[in-house]
Every structure is written in structure tokens, then in C-alpha cells.
Amino acid sequence: MIVAAQLDRSIIESIVRQIVSAQSGLSANKAAAPASAAAKPNLVVSISARHCHLTDEHVEILFGPGAKLIPEKPLYQDGFYAAEQTVMVVGPRRRMLPTVRVLGPTRKASQVELAFTDAISLGIDAPVRHSGNIKGTPGCVLVGPKGVVELTEGVIRAARHVHMNNRDAESYGVKNGDFMKLRVESPQSTVVFEDLLVRADGTSKLEVHIDTDEGNACYLDGATKVELLKQSADCKCKH
Amino acid sequence: MIVAAQLDRSIIESIVRQIVSAQSGLSANKAAAPASAAAKPNLVVSISARHCHLTDEHVEILFGPGAKLIPEKPLYQDGFYAAEQTVMVVGPRRRMLPTVRVLGPTRKASQVELAFTDAISLGIDAPVRHSGNIKGTPGCVLVGPKGVVELTEGVIRAARHVHMNNRDAESYGVKNGDFMKLRVESPQSTVVFEDLLVRADGTSKLEVHIDTDEGNACYLDGATKVELLKQSADCKCKH
């Protein structure tokens, strides 16, 4: 197990924390029952701290005319990055989170992804949604150094999911849109997360995304083993 | 499923949130395989928000000579209560949580129980420990209206556990010190918590204690089913 370097000194301010399962760890995984005999790829489990995605228009309102997102750190998936920019997220009762990281590139709709702990602290009843599916979700106010945006919708708790390419999907015997389970074994805090949506395409790297509540619940930083299991697989959890 | 009334208007400030599984819900639990045919008791799953336990001496230092804890709300376990009093918990870098509830009655050693989210925000590396087992754990500073206490140890993340009486234990086929699993089924957020310590005695009511990170990870407030399973039980989780 390797704990990837944190991006900031303070964990709470870090954008992503990761656990990487080495090949040897995964080969000890007897439950995944790959459909082929091909070597399985390394499994990366990433904790996404609260963050937001912005449209080009909102970047200019918040950070000034002509402003663009400035990449600061690349994320694990190629082409995605944590920007230098942060925004303040303000809830309905004027509670706020002062520095929420913007992730790039820009999107067609702005969206704020919070853990329930964050949403509760803001007084927002955030629904569990997959990224991009924000119709009818609560809004919030974003405050940047040059302007303010009122989002009428877009505040969600991102539903847990796993990115992979089609070869990975084949090796696990799953396809895009299926559900899997993630088992994280850690001292006194082992958890099995069900309802893990498979998002398979031609190019993504194998990576599970969970939020800070989920990462803290399973003590991911102390994990000794991570396993990706078919939802329908026989459970090998200490049985 | 019944969501018990919250103790405070704001969820984040509430002391305990609970999900109570009605008898009908539990009887649908096919996985627990009770050793006897006796009707199973209702299962209560409680989220403990951050709180502290104090010694008589520390109550007097923090709240003044002669001060006693004043019960405000009874907890589910008989004889235990949330006190009127709160303390400020200060971490090593002068970050603080302003209002941490004191639970009564007093104990032989003071102890602060935090979720990892809380501990990270304070800059404290809290270990996962069962209540009362605080040797070698980090300390903190407690600030009350009349004085200050520096704890040299006692800050923990409380390990998940289930209270029950010996009849409950018999009905589940477990004994004090065994481990069980809690499965919480909720929309897009189903979780199985392993490593759930059984604390069985002659008088306790059946109640699972998890922390706010765990309760948020499994979206306990939206749960449609809770099941207490033997660690060694055949897994019925959608298989």
C-alpha cells in the first residue's frame, strides 16, 4: 500500500487523498473473479474533498473578465486538474465554506460536490447524485475575488463510482453502468461500500472516487487492503 | 423505519441521530440467523456526534467549584444523558471546536470522542479506540466558562460497537467481545460496516453506535433497512 503525497500540508485542505493498491495486493484479491486471466491493473482509491466545477462564464464572473482556470496539480485522470482558484460557497443561512477548490477543465454547467458533513454544516440538504445529473438539486452562492454567482441548482453529494477503461471492465467481468462493491480493510474500521457505479470508457484509468465522509468512515489512510468486487460476487469478507 | 426526533434544530449540533428498525423491518432480515426462535428486539442505530466525558474534578475546574453535570436529554441507554454543559476543544495548532457536548454521568477519566473529520479539522491524529482505552492517545485542551483543563491523553475516534443484553446476544448467536457487521441499505449509499464489537451485559438495550463520518457515509438518515449480521454469516448483501 502506498499513500500518495498530499497536495497540501493540511489534510482537510487537500484536494485528493489516495490509496494505491500495488499489483501484489490486488493479486491476493480472490473475490473479484476476473473473466480473463489477464493481469489486473493497479486499483487506485481516491478521496475527493469538496470541490466545484465551473462554466467558462462563471469563471469570468468570479475571477474577472477574460479569466481562465489555471492548472495547479494534475489529477489522476489524464486531462483533469485542480486549479489554483478557489471559491467561497455560501449556504442559505449565510453559513459558508471559505475555500472550495475549483477543478478543471470547465464544464457546461457549474456544480458543487460536498460530503454530507460539509452540506450539513452549510445547511444544505444535498442529494446523492452522479456527476452532471443536477436537475432539481439545491443551489448556493459562489463568491470569488471579482464577483458572485448564484447557482439555482448544482449542489450534490457525488455518488460513489469507479472509473475504468473497457479492458479493465472486461477483466472484472463488468460493463459500463453496472454496480460493484469496494471493500476497504483497515484497523477496526473495515467497510464494504456497495452501489459503486462503473463508468467505463476507452481511456480512463482504474480509479474509485469516494468522498471525505466515506474515506474517513473506512479509515482509508490506514487501509491494509482494498478490493474491487462484483456486486454479485460471493462475499469473501472474512467468511 | 422511523427517524427519531432530532435534539436540536441543526443536525450538526445534535448529540445523537437515530434510526430505529421496527420489528417488521427486522423480521425481514434473513441474514442474522438467530440461534433461537425468540422474537428479535428492535435494532436502534445511533450516530454519536462529537462529545466528551469528564471526571468530577474536571467538571469543577471547567464549570466552577461545586459544579455538577446537569442532565438535559436522556440517551437511549438507561442512566446516560446529554448534559446542558458544553466545552470548547482546542487542538495543538489553536484550531478549535467551540461547543462539544458533555455526556453524563461523570467517569474516572476524561475522554473526547471525535469523528475523523473533526479530528482532522483540529489537527489531531486521533486513533481508533474503544471507549475507556485511552492510554497513549493524543491530548487536547478543554476550555469551560470557569477554567481550562489540559488533557495529556484521551482524544479518540470511538470504534464502532453494538450494545446489547445477554438475551439479545443469545438471539443473534454471539457473545460479549465478538464482532458483528452492520449493513445499512440506503439510496445509492449502502454500506456494510465490519469490525462491530459486541458489548453485551445484563441490562443494555440493543443499540449500534457509529460516528458522524460513518453515519454520513451510509446516508443513515435515508436508510430503508438496517441489519445486524454475524461477522461469520453468509453474506446476503444482494447476492
Side-chain angles (χ1 to χ4, degrees):
Chain A
M1 306 295 298
I2 301 157
V3 178
Q6 286 152 19
L7 301 179
D8 289 293
R9 199 169 300 177
S10 164
I11 292 172
I12 195 87
E13 290 157 1
S14 72
I15 303 152
V16 174
R17 287 183 283 154
Q18 292 181 331
I19 291 287
V20 181
S21 168
Q23 191 70 28
S24 58
L26 255 189
S27 64
N29 170 359
K30 296 172 184 170
S36 77
K40 276 182 285 178
N42 279 350
L43 174 63
V44 173
V45 179
S46 297
I47 300 174
S48 297
R50 54 188 178 239
H51 63 270
C52 72
H53 303 278
L54 297 175
T55 64
D56 288 324
E57 180 196 356
H58 289 166
V59 169
E60 294 207 44
I61 295 172
L62 293 163
F63 301 102
K68 304 278 184 195
L69 292 182
I70 303 164
E72 182 173 273
K73 294 278 183 184
L75 299 178
Y76 185 64
Q77 297 295 333
D78 295 334
F80 296 86
Y81 57 87
E84 280 185 8
Q85 289 97 331
T86 63
V87 294
M88 177 188 291
V89 175
V90 185
R93 283 180 280 164
R94 287 180 291 179
R95 295 183 186 174
M96 60 93 195
L97 294 166
T99 49
V100 174
R101 186 68 51 181
V102 182
L103 301 190
T106 54
R107 293 195 180 184
K108 289 185 179 171
S110 294
Q111 173 177 306
V112 177
E113 300 184 28
L114 304 175
F116 275 150
T117 298
D118 304 319
I120 291 168
S121 76
L122 284 178
I124 297 177
D125 189 13
V128 182
R129 293 286 185 95
H130 284 286
S131 190
N133 176 20
I134 59 170
K135 191 169 180 184
T137 60
C140 67
V141 172
L142 304 180
V143 182
K146 296 294 172 70
V148 175
V149 169
E150 183 171 357
L151 296 183
T152 56
E153 61 182 16
V155 180
I156 64 170
R157 178 214 197 156
R160 58 186 74 140
H161 58 276
V162 53
H163 295 282
M164 61 177 69
N165 62 50
N166 296 324
R167 296 183 309 282
D168 300 330
E170 189 182 354
S171 92
Y172 279 109
V174 297
K175 60 184 188 305
N176 186 52
D178 283 355
F179 288 93
M180 299 186 76
K181 299 193 294 191
L182 175 72
R183 183 169 181 272
V184 176
E185 190 169 313
S186 59
Q188 301 186 82
S189 303
T190 297
V191 165
V192 180
F193 296 102
E194 303 185 22
D195 302 326
L196 192 72
L197 179 68
V198 174
R199 304 183 74 157
D201 59 29
T203 56
S204 290
K205 296 178 186 172
L206 181 62
E207 182 186 27
V208 172
H209 277 165
I210 58 178
D211 69 14
T212 46
D213 288 338
E214 293 167 328
N216 286 332
C218 71
Y219 186 16
L220 187 70
D221 292 345
T224 52
K225 188 177 181 184
V226 292
E227 300 173 280
L228 195 54
L229 309 171
K230 288 179 77 165
Q231 185 91 294
S232 59
D234 286 339
C235 187
K236 305 295 186 191
C237 315
K238 296 186 179 176
H239 296 166
Chain B
M1 305 297 300
I2 302 158
V3 178
Q6 285 153 21
L7 300 178
D8 289 293
R9 199 169 300 178
S10 164
I11 293 172
I12 195 86
E13 289 157 2
S14 73
I15 302 151
V16 174
R17 285 183 284 156
Q18 291 181 331
I19 290 288
V20 181
S21 168
Q23 192 71 28
S24 59
L26 255 188
S27 65
N29 171 359
K30 297 172 184 169
S36 78
K40 278 182 283 177
N42 279 349
L43 175 61
V44 174
V45 179
S46 298
I47 300 174
S48 297
R50 53 188 179 239
H51 63 270
C52 71
H53 303 280
L54 298 175
T55 64
D56 288 324
E57 180 195 357
H58 289 166
V59 170
E60 294 208 42
I61 295 171
L62 292 163
F63 301 101
K68 304 279 185 195
L69 291 182
I70 304 165
E72 183 173 271
K73 294 278 183 186
L75 299 180
Y76 184 65
Q77 298 294 332
D78 294 335
F80 295 86
Y81 57 88
E84 281 184 9
Q85 289 96 332
T86 63
V87 295
M88 178 189 290
V89 176
V90 185
R93 283 179 281 164
R94 287 181 290 180
R95 295 183 187 174
M96 60 94 195
L97 294 167
T99 50
V100 174
R101 186 69 51 181
V102 182
L103 301 190
T106 54
R107 293 194 178 185
K108 289 185 179 172
S110 293
Q111 175 178 304
V112 178
E113 300 183 27
L114 304 175
F116 276 148
T117 298
D118 303 319
I120 290 168
S121 76
L122 284 177
I124 296 177
D125 189 13
V128 183
R129 292 286 185 93
H130 284 286
S131 189
N133 176 22
I134 59 171
K135 191 170 179 183
T137 60
C140 67
V141 172
L142 304 180
V143 181
K146 296 295 173 71
V148 175
V149 169
E150 183 173 356
L151 296 184
T152 55
E153 62 183 15
V155 179
I156 64 171
R157 178 214 197 156
R160 57 185 76 139
H161 58 277
V162 54
H163 295 284
M164 60 177 70
N165 62 50
N166 295 325
R167 295 184 308 284
D168 299 330
E170 190 182 352
S171 93
Y172 280 109
V174 298
K175 60 184 189 305
N176 186 52
D178 282 356
F179 288 93
M180 299 186 75
K181 298 193 293 191
L182 174 74
R183 182 168 183 272
V184 176
E185 191 169 314
S186 60
Q188 301 187 83
S189 303
T190 298
V191 164
V192 180
F193 295 103
E194 303 185 23
D195 302 326
L196 194 70
L197 181 68
V198 174
R199 304 183 74 157
D201 59 29
T203 57
S204 291
K205 296 177 187 171
L206 181 62
E207 182 186 27
V208 171
H209 277 165
I210 58 178
D211 69 16
T212 46
D213 288 338
E214 292 167 328
N216 286 331
C218 69
Y219 186 17
L220 187 70
D221 292 345
T224 53
K225 188 178 182 184
V226 292
E227 300 174 282
L228 195 55
L229 309 171
K230 289 180 75 165
Q231 184 90 294
S232 59
D234 286 339
C235 188
K236 305 295 186 192
C237 314
K238 296 186 180 176
H239 294 168

